[in-house]
Amino acid sequence: MSVSDSPRVGAPAWRSLSSALARPRLFACLDRCSTLTVIDAPSGFGKRTLVAGWLHRGGAPDHTIVWVPELTASGDGDLPEHVLAVLADHPAVEVAGDGPDDSPFERVVRTFRDLGSPCLLVLACVSPQNSAEVLEATLRLLDRCPLLDAIVCLPGNSTDMTEVVLRGIDSTYVPAADLAFTIEETTTLLRDAGPERSDSECEVVCRVLGGVPTLVSAAAAVARSRPQRLIDSRGLPTPALARLVRTYVESLLDELDDAHREFAFSVAAAHSVTAERAAELTGAADPEAALATLAAAGLLMDSPFDDPRTWRWPDAVRSCVLDISRREQPGRVDALLVELARAHRDAGRPAEASIYAVEAGDWETAVAIVEESWARMVDSSFDVLVKVLRQIPDQELGDHPSVQAGRALFTQMLDEHSILHASLPADPDELTELGKTPGAAQALYVATVQTLTLRVSGELGEAARLTLLLRPLVDSILEHRPDDLGPQLPLLRVQWAITLQLAGYLTESTTVFRRAYRGAYAVNIAFVIQNAAGSSALNWAVTGDNPRAREWLRIESNAEPTEGRWGEMVKVGGRVASALVHLDSLELDRAVGYLDELGVPRVSEELWGFVAYGRAYYNLAAGNAYDGLTELHRLIASHHDLFDRGAFSRILLGAAEIDLQLALGNGNLARALAEESPQTHPMLVVTNARVELFTGHPEIALKKLKRVPWTECGFPRAHVEALLIEASAHLDLDKKDAAVRSWQRACTLAEALGNRRAFTTLAEGVAGRLAEPGGLTVPDEEIGSVFTEPVTHVELSRRETDVLELLALGSTHADIAKKLFVSHNTIKTQLRSIYRKLGVHTRVEAIGRARDLRLLPVRRSL
């Protein structure tokens, strides 16, 4: 910030003020111009800088400023003397003269009253010893001086404000916790200091330092002089920053007497502490007063609004105090940490318990907590779980492969951990026998991590194969050793189901999602409940079974909302399902609302293919085929590593691209894509048959549709569209009875599914021609076609293709005639026919156009 060119009279302007960070959220508190504003924080929290910066930026514009820099004496009787001394030197104030029996207090009152205009009294530094008395004297002044407001900077001992409230004085209270730098403020300060810092580094700096202004400013100074990171890979301060924190902590501890220093060493065992907990840890007679002393010293932070009142350590400060305590009193603090771990574990708080166990070096307890509670910790305390897993030494995990597997996955050591290369037997009987053994659950955990590793690396087909292999092992464990899996099973199941979903095994995936939902519901794992319900809805919506999709969407909507790390992630499946369901009913406004919530899928989004599928078909239905095709190509390029042949996204987006090309009239491109795609999946069989129908080959369309047993295929939307293609093809072949039968079946099935969008896949006018003899009409109203443009389709004879291929190789007319054993005139005739069909006039144009239409192989650059 910059100080005003015309400094406020009465407000100091020291040099560092010009570079202080502007703090609008706190300026807004001061802008209230309450009769009394109390800023209650220890030294080093920037109280004076805040008030002076606010004044020089135009705060209290109509007030005369009376700044009292320091009050060090004890007793309220000295306050008027200090104020009078400041008033005597103030250029804009004339101090009232002595009366016959005037006290200093009465002279101050008369001086403020004689001003006849608003005045702001700033008591910038009040010592802990007389803060209560100074506050009382300030209240008496405010009672006597109607035009006087006051800002009182107290030392952070949380002075009782009850009297202020009872007097009905308009007041604002700003505790130390509010003065702490936010993540945004820390980020601004660090980036202004020098080299660009990542958001994550700035966030960790703020959290580790507790936002303490002195420490964050010190971090900015380090950042200014050293471009290296401030936080290491374990989330701890690097040596340069750690030294500054240690200097800060040691100086504060040195100011304490022996009793409070001893008290600090004991309560440092707890991350946050109430007076009751402090009494348990220390046996102190008045723990609340002792905690207030540590807060006033700047070691702890609290808010008087907590119930019960709770004091919290900044992480880096606490770490320093623990180190000093271990040095001066070996073993004491570790014993307290072990006791805290036990208490939190018994109280059902595994995240807190595991942290205390790790800090005490009690690895056996830490590992046991992770093993028994890791599903719950993934749900509600994932960051803590990762922190704990990173700190447990390798040698402590030799007999705990499930914890090794979890660490390999959650701390992203996927490629380097040997446990991920262990293999399960492939024989179902061997897996069943393995399920009877004590190590079965461990083997299952390891295998699950292996499948996730394959999934993350894009090998979805292999990941699904291994996941399906787990079924006899799981069944055997549940039969012979059910207690070995416990509450972790729903979390495992939802991961298996996602793997199967991404590989296109939708039937199997839906079954596993349903079991995951039931298990998670029984033990109340919120994010698994919502994920399983929404993902089940997605599977049904992709197949086109909208009634079942709506049922699972209703279940998802009744689930407890998931917040925090997994909040948005678990909503993706349900949102895509909602978009697809509304698309089928042609409620485009509602569909696009869900797609807007999803946005463009990030590179890390595993369900990106489903999102892209929904966006592509929305664009098709909305008449934006070109935009849809452009976006589809962009999304495929950005997720290319997840677009392997084992990925279901290839089926989904292959079908979408064929339909988009067809809607743009690109018959040749649509046909080329159809020929490159698998020929047996129902979704692709439908689009491939549609290409044949729209390019004038109804008999081939009917032949392709026979590849799928439609009533058993599990894709009812594709079944409806197949029936409509049959009806249209039979109509083109003048087989009206067959056309009517297919039309009637399509209408009946579409009505049961709530699917109106299927009728947009018919060519214009076909629905009317079928409805009249069929006796059934399109549900609700006539629906237009998404394939409104004439489909351009060029077909060359076998001989014309041979000529074109030789032409592309650079052969002359004579060479072509010789190679094909025909006359020169025959080649000329065939070239004229090729040029006419392609709409070109030269050899170069013909070759380029043929490649565009996929009549020739497309040249690919190296």
Side-chain angles (χ1 to χ4, degrees):
M1 62 170 276
S2 60
V3 179
S4 170
D5 291 337
S6 303
R8 295 292 297 279
V9 174
W14 50 90
R15 181 168 182 170
S16 62
L17 190 63
S18 62
S19 59
L21 181 69
R23 310 190 71 184
R25 65 183 179 88
L26 295 175
F27 289 170
C29 294
L30 300 179
D31 282 338
R32 290 188 61 222
C33 292
S34 298
T35 302
L36 174 65
T37 299
V38 174
I39 305 175
D40 194 12
S43 175
F45 272 68
K47 302 186 294 290
R48 293 186 310 153
T49 299
L50 172 68
V51 177
W54 171 68
L55 290 172
H56 285 296
R57 281 178 168 263
D62 301 326
H63 289 62
T64 299
I65 309 303
V66 177
W67 183 287
V68 180
E70 191 170 11
L71 289 167
T72 55
S74 60
D76 66 335
D78 291 307
L79 173 62
E81 296 287 356
H82 283 281
V83 175
L84 280 175
V86 172
L87 290 173
D89 293 333
H90 199 294
V93 178
E94 184 175 343
V95 180
D98 287 333
D101 296 314
D102 269 358
S103 65
F105 180 82
E106 290 297 332
R107 290 185 66 197
V108 170
V109 169
R110 282 196 294 115
T111 299
F112 284 133
R113 284 184 167 182
D114 289 347
L115 279 174
S117 60
C119 186
L120 177 63
L121 174 65
V122 180
L123 305 181
C125 184
V126 178
S127 66
Q129 292 76 20
N130 64 340
S131 57
E133 292 85 354
V134 167
L135 185 59
E136 173 60 29
T138 304
L139 292 176
R140 288 196 292 118
L141 270 178
L142 294 173
D143 282 341
R144 296 283 301 280
C145 304
L147 296 179
L148 179 65
D149 295 333
I151 295 177
V152 182
C153 297
L154 297 180
N157 53 0
S158 300
T159 300
D160 189 359
M161 296 286 289
T162 304
E163 182 66 21
V164 177
V165 176
L166 292 176
R167 290 195 187 194
I169 294 176
D170 175 34
S171 62
T172 296
Y173 181 75
V174 183
D178 287 354
L179 286 177
F181 281 113
T182 64
I183 293 172
E184 293 75 15
E185 289 168 338
T186 302
T187 300
T188 299
L189 197 65
L190 292 178
R191 287 179 174 169
D192 288 347
E196 181 73 11
R197 302 280 168 177
S198 68
D199 289 342
S200 59
E201 182 182 11
C202 295
E203 181 179 350
V204 176
V205 168
C206 183
R207 177 180 55 76
V208 166
L209 300 182
V212 175
T214 298
L215 293 178
V216 176
S217 297
V222 173
R224 190 175 294 112
S225 59
R226 294 176 176 84
Q228 294 85 0
R229 288 180 57 86
L230 299 171
I231 301 295
D232 65 20
S233 60
R234 298 171 299 162
L236 300 175
T238 50
L241 183 57
R243 282 193 296 273
L244 287 173
V245 175
R246 186 167 60 250
T247 300
Y248 170 82
V249 171
E250 289 175 345
S251 67
L252 297 181
L253 289 173
D254 287 345
E255 295 175 2
L256 299 175
D257 58 33
D258 290 343
H260 284 104
R261 184 181 175 91
E262 177 75 16
F263 180 84
F265 288 158
S266 296
V267 295
H271 291 268
S272 60
V273 60
T274 60
E276 180 181 1
R277 175 67 75 184
E280 294 171 358
L281 291 171
T282 67
D286 190 357
E288 185 163 352
L291 289 167
T293 299
L294 296 187
L299 290 166
L300 289 171
M301 283 198 295
D302 81 309
S303 172
F305 308 117
D306 288 340
D307 186 20
R309 189 173 175 185
T310 303
W311 287 260
R312 295 174 177 81
W313 292 94
D315 287 352
V317 171
R318 175 173 175 267
S319 295
C320 282
V321 176
L322 286 176
D323 288 344
I324 297 170
S325 175
R326 287 189 174 104
R327 217 166 40 238
E328 296 187 7
Q329 302 174 341
R332 173 171 170 74
V333 73
D334 289 325
L336 293 173
L337 288 167
V338 169
E339 177 58 27
L340 284 169
R342 183 201 60 75
H344 281 285
R345 187 181 184 187
D346 292 346
R349 295 188 289 268
E352 294 88 340
S354 62
I355 284 290
Y356 285 124
V358 164
E359 290 176 339
D362 184 358
W363 308 118
E364 181 179 353
T365 298
V367 171
I369 293 170
V370 170
E371 280 192 313
E372 69 192 20
S373 304
W374 68 270
R376 181 176 170 187
M377 292 175 73
V378 167
D379 183 6
S380 58
S381 311
F382 183 75
D383 291 340
V384 173
L385 175 61
V386 171
K387 182 177 180 180
V388 169
L389 288 171
R390 279 179 170 157
Q391 295 187 60
I392 298 175
D394 288 341
Q395 59 268 27
E396 301 295 332
L397 297 180
D399 297 327
H400 304 276
S402 64
V403 181
Q404 290 184 46
R407 182 165 71 175
L409 174 67
F410 296 132
T411 62
Q412 298 180 354
M413 297 183 294
L414 298 175
D415 296 327
E416 56 192 62
H417 207 296
S418 59
I419 197 170
L420 298 180
H421 304 292
S423 60
L424 285 176
D427 183 79
D429 292 337
E430 292 183 39
L431 288 167
T432 299
E433 290 302 313
L434 175 61
K436 301 175 184 179
T437 66
Q442 306 281 15
L444 182 64
Y445 296 147
V446 172
T448 299
V449 173
Q450 290 174 329
T451 65
L452 297 182
T453 305
L454 291 167
R455 192 172 96 197
V456 170
S457 64
E459 298 180 49
L460 296 171
E462 181 62 17
R465 186 197 66 78
L466 181 56
T467 299
L468 291 171
L469 191 66
L470 299 178
R471 187 182 302 165
L473 176 61
V474 177
D475 291 342
S476 181
I477 294 173
L478 291 176
E479 180 181 354
H480 298 100
R481 308 185 64 86
D483 294 339
D484 288 3
L485 292 180
Q488 291 88 340
L489 184 56
L491 180 59
L492 293 173
R493 277 184 165 147
V494 84
Q495 292 301 325
W496 300 334
I498 291 171
T499 299
L500 295 171
Q501 181 185 58
L502 294 174
Y505 294 86
L506 298 190
T507 301
E508 296 84 350
S509 170
T510 301
T511 300
V512 182
F513 273 132
R514 184 171 63 249
R515 291 173 178 169
Y517 171 82
R518 291 173 178 170
Y521 189 85
V523 294
N524 194 28
I525 305 178
F527 87 100
V528 175
I529 293 172
Q530 190 170 15
N531 197 348
S535 295
S536 294
L538 175 58
N539 284 350
W540 290 118
V542 167
T543 66
D545 193 334
N546 294 324
R548 289 181 178 174
R550 290 182 185 276
E551 177 185 353
W552 278 102
L553 287 172
R554 179 185 56 77
I555 293 171
E556 183 201 33
S557 69
N558 292 331
E560 179 185 348
T562 302
E563 305 297 339
R565 182 184 187 91
W566 311 116
E568 288 301 305
M569 187 182 300
V570 300
K571 297 173 185 174
V572 173
R575 286 173 176 168
V576 179
S578 297
L580 293 176
V581 167
H582 289 301
L583 269 179
D584 272 0
S585 59
L586 291 183
E587 299 171 295
L588 299 189
D589 289 344
R590 299 189 67 181
V592 78
Y594 287 104
L595 293 173
D596 287 344
E597 286 182 0
L598 288 163
V600 177
R602 297 170 298 174
V603 174
S604 60
E605 175 54 64
E606 287 194 296
L607 293 178
W608 74 274
F610 294 85
V611 179
Y613 174 77
R615 295 177 73 89
Y617 275 103
Y618 166 77
N619 279 309
L620 182 64
N624 302 320
Y626 182 80
D627 292 342
L629 188 63
T630 302
E631 181 180 55
L632 184 64
H633 288 164
R634 186 169 62 247
L635 288 174
I636 291 173
S638 63
H639 295 81
H640 186 71
D641 56 332
L642 300 175
F643 202 54
D644 185 80
R645 290 194 178 277
F648 186 47
S649 58
R650 292 188 71 89
I651 304 292
L652 291 173
L653 304 188
E657 185 171 8
I658 291 169
D659 276 342
L660 288 167
Q661 292 285 11
L662 204 58
L664 291 171
N666 300 329
N668 285 83
L669 292 178
R671 177 183 290 280
L673 290 168
E675 290 174 351
E676 293 171 2
S677 64
Q679 301 293 309
T680 57
H681 194 282
M683 297 178 74
L684 287 170
V685 168
V686 162
T687 53
N688 293 359
R690 186 152 45 235
V691 170
E692 297 295 348
L693 179 66
F694 275 85
T695 55
H697 302 100
E699 69 289 344
I700 299 179
L702 291 171
K703 184 177 179 181
K704 287 193 172 184
L705 289 176
K706 290 180 180 179
R707 295 173 179 171
V708 176
W710 290 104
T711 57
E712 305 166 10
C713 74
F715 284 81
R717 181 188 295 110
H719 188 186
V720 174
E721 293 184 17
L723 288 169
L724 292 174
I725 293 171
E726 278 185 10
S728 187
H730 285 310
L731 195 63
D732 287 349
L733 296 171
D734 202 24
K735 298 178 180 179
K736 291 187 178 180
D737 290 344
V740 167
R741 286 194 298 271
S742 296
W743 169 255
Q744 290 175 335
R745 292 173 61 198
C747 289
T748 301
L749 182 55
E751 184 176 6
L753 297 174
N755 187 337
R756 299 175 65 232
R757 180 164 64 96
F759 295 93
T760 68
T761 64
L762 289 169
E764 286 289 352
V766 171
R769 293 170 59 197
L770 288 166
E772 184 177 351
L776 289 174
T777 59
V778 178
D780 297 337
E781 62 185 55
E782 187 175 344
I783 296 173
S785 174
V786 296
F787 303 114
T788 55
E789 296 186 23
V791 175
T792 301
H793 181 247
V794 176
E795 289 191 47
L796 301 179
S797 68
R798 179 64 260 173
R799 180 63 75 182
E800 287 171 340
T801 301
D802 292 340
V803 170
L804 191 60
E805 288 177 349
L806 290 170
L807 200 68
L809 293 174
S811 300
T812 65
H813 293 186
D815 290 338
I816 297 173
K818 185 176 180 180
K819 290 178 181 178
L820 297 181
F821 304 103
V822 296
S823 70
H824 190 273
N825 287 334
T826 300
I827 297 302
K828 284 185 177 181
T829 301
Q830 289 172 339
L831 282 173
R832 282 196 296 269
S833 176
I834 291 170
Y835 288 177
R836 177 178 51 78
K837 290 180 178 181
L838 295 177
V840 299
H841 300 91
T842 68
R843 171 199 290 251
V844 174
E845 289 177 348
I847 294 170
R849 179 66 172 153
R851 286 204 171 102
D852 288 343
L853 295 176
R854 302 288 182 92
L855 297 171
L856 285 175
V858 179
R859 286 181 177 173
R860 303 191 183 278
S861 59
L862 296 178

